[in-house]
Amino acid sequence: MKLRSLATLLVTLFGFSQAFCATKSSDKTDGKGAASELRWAAAVDSNAPFAFYDKNNRLTGFEFEIIEGISRRMGREPKFIQNSWDGLTPGLGRGLYDCVICGIEVTAEKGQEVLFSNPYYITFEQLVVAKGTPPVTSLAELSGRKVGTLEQTAALKMLQDTSNVVVKSYAEEMNAYHDVANGRIYGALLDFPIAKYYAGPDAALEFTGPPFGKITYGIAVSRSRPELVQQINAALGEMVRSGELRDILSRWGLWTPTMAKALNQSAEPSLPDTEFKAFAAQFNEAGGIVAKLQRYFVYWPVILDGCILTLEISILSMAIAIAVGFLLALMRVYGPFPLRLISILYIEIVRGTPLLVQLLILFYGLPYIGIKLEPFIAGMLGLGMNYAAYEAENYRAGLLAIPKGQMEAARALGMTHRQGLRCVVVPQAFRLVLPPVTNDFISLLKDSSLVSAVTLIDLTGAYTRIATQTFDYFGTGLLIAAIYLLIGLPFVRLAGWLEKRLSSDHRTPKQKPSFWIGLGA
Amino acid sequence: MSEKDLPIVQVSALRKSFGDIAVLKGVGFEMEQGDLVSIIGPSGCGKSTLLRCLNALEVMDSGSIRIAGVTLERSEGETRLDPRFHDLAHELRQRVGMVFQQFNLFPNKTILENVILAPLVVNKEPREVAEENALRQLEKVGLGGFAKRYPAQLSGGQQQRAAIARSLAMNPKVMLYDEPTSALDPMLVDEVLAVMKALDAEGMTQIVVTHEIRFARDASDYIIYMEQGEIVELSDQDEIFTNPKDERTRRFLHRFS
């Protein structure tokens, strides 16, 4: 939790610094074929009804339809880019995409960071409590109660401004509503669309109280691109006039009197709320094992992609970690003083700061000094450079564990120091450090889940997506954990086999080492 | 005088200190081709340091060492090491073999691999040539059948003989032994000494730091007795035992008779 808020702080910090270099980065964006594409970003995990993946793993949602409509009218091809909620606005400054449409509330504070289009939806905060709770008519009545909401929302601020309310902020709306149903918190105050979709279909919960506050959602654009805001506004205006916006909101069951009044249109929905009905039906789907397994099967491409990304990034960053770590260890053990100092500083600094912070600096911080890395490169470098520090210490221990007499013997035989290292000391140290290196690889395989901070969707990312779409944290969790275990195992076996093969203790007659040694025993 | 007629080993005014402690206080001696010299003396007298200086595993503070045509020299008060010193030391080590008290075989390699490593890496010999030569050396030290074994599978005496074979594979002109039998079971000492005697018979020049007084007496051409960083006595092996010139030598040897 602490780490997360630290990350948020950093991202916000970089968000502000982006304001200074935004001009530079967006120039590049414009040159990169932006005329044909409209690249839009959202955090689509657990994001119904805004933009989310449906049970057939297709992107949908009312924001999705709105941005499609806007793109069409602008004559541009919409291209979706996933990012974490924390990274959405910093990503604009980085020029990762043209705009963000993700239920972002238009506030003066936010307006310092980005430009907003005209509002595309106006709504309010809805209080949800457990069924049978006495009605609540004002926030003041919540005094002394625990109330949940999402991080970085208007509702959070409203609750904090109400005296004596114990505010619990969640990363996922589902978790807040689960806690209401479980009685861990008294109620949850969230944007109306979220309440309608995540609490509405749940028989254990009910809505209470009047609409609280007024929230307007706008499309966020980099401060350096006012012309894009104008184009978006023009397209949005056409959608309002033609009735397309009302159609979309009606089908999603979001055409409210508030909206009708704001747009000066009829309060009656223009179409039946088919999309909401479909979602609600899926929400209450029977959760038998067979049904669950069938659902997992639908998601296998997501899981497979996540697996591949996790493996790719883990193996590549381990390769970096081993190479850089080895170099650092040699510098520290055998290098002259300046190299030794560099090595020690690197190890202490990198080992002493959180990996997540390093990743965020690489991805969101470096553009500030003109270095832009692709998400995959940033993730791979971040993990690799971080683990290099640990590897260096492993190798140092390994090198120091080889008796001095080995190098002396090599030199006495006429080898240079370098030849002695290469042919005598390093091969022996290699075997010694295999177990800790294997250990680190397994650890890295799991730490690779942090790359979701730089917009990549790995196996853990797949977990979040599936769990929030199926509302099944438990089953999906077990499944993903099992997959992590499975993809780690072959490497453990490989290392065990290598270790056996390279064993320098040959007291007993040699048996041909088998890859499977130790599995049966 | 041609190169050939010069003594094969010439050491003079060799000094070495570790911090404030002077370990070698101006040591000098000469050896002819084919000589076997034993260096004896109490622990801490500097005999091992002397040996390690001879192939520059320790860098001398000052003095000169000339072995098989390579000369290492440092003048007194020279604070910075001449960069050429390392090149010369490297060249010298190609002509000098060394055997250690703890054998220092490479435990992850077979005996054969131990012996061929330096010929492959340093001399870039083709593998077949290196292996053929290695097997000949192993045969010579009586380990013909042990080529495929690992060091840990051999007895101490066998390991030390393998270490000697490993040094011989580099065709050294001079062999240095640093207490080669001190780590051995008494039962296994003789087999190592026998190898050294056989090499002596072949005409190898050898310097042995040892506590084996009997071996020193039987096999050496002459004996150096050291105490507190100085050569106290340097004489014919019979003479030093029957009629030591120095009182200190007499006292040391008294304990062995």
Side-chain angles (χ1 to χ4, degrees), chain A residues 81-129:
Chain A
I81 290 161
Q82 156 73 15
N83 201 347
S84 62
W85 172 246
D86 290 340
L88 281 174
T89 24
L92 270 182
R94 267 188 110 248
L96 285 180
Y97 31 74
D98 302 309
C99 62
V100 175
I101 177 165
C102 195
I104 295 184
E105 292 143 18
V106 180
T107 59
E109 205 182 13
K110 206 82 178 165
Q112 301 286 314
E113 273 180 77
V114 295
L115 293 177
F116 277 112
S117 71
N118 292 334
Y120 58 88
Y121 193 64
I122 298 169
T123 185
F124 51 86
E125 300 293 353
Q126 175 66 53
L127 186 63
V128 171
V129 290

Side-chain angles (χ1 to χ4, degrees), chain B residues 196-247:
Chain B
M196 291 157 70
K197 280 180 188 164
L199 286 173
D200 187 43
E202 280 179 26
M204 177 62 79
T205 310
Q206 304 181 89
I207 306 177
V208 188
V209 167
T210 187
H211 289 299
E212 293 292 325
I213 300 300
R214 190 167 48 85
F215 168 79
R217 185 176 195 160
D218 294 350
S220 309
D221 291 304
Y222 58 94
I223 292 174
I224 293 174
Y225 176 71
M226 283 183 73
E227 203 172 304
Q228 294 183 342
E230 286 172 326
I231 293 182
V232 174
E233 192 157 347
L234 188 156
S235 59
D236 188 82
Q237 90 269 33
D238 286 329
E239 197 177 293
I240 202 168
F241 286 103
T242 50
N243 184 23
K245 294 190 206 94
D246 197 284
E247 173 57 27

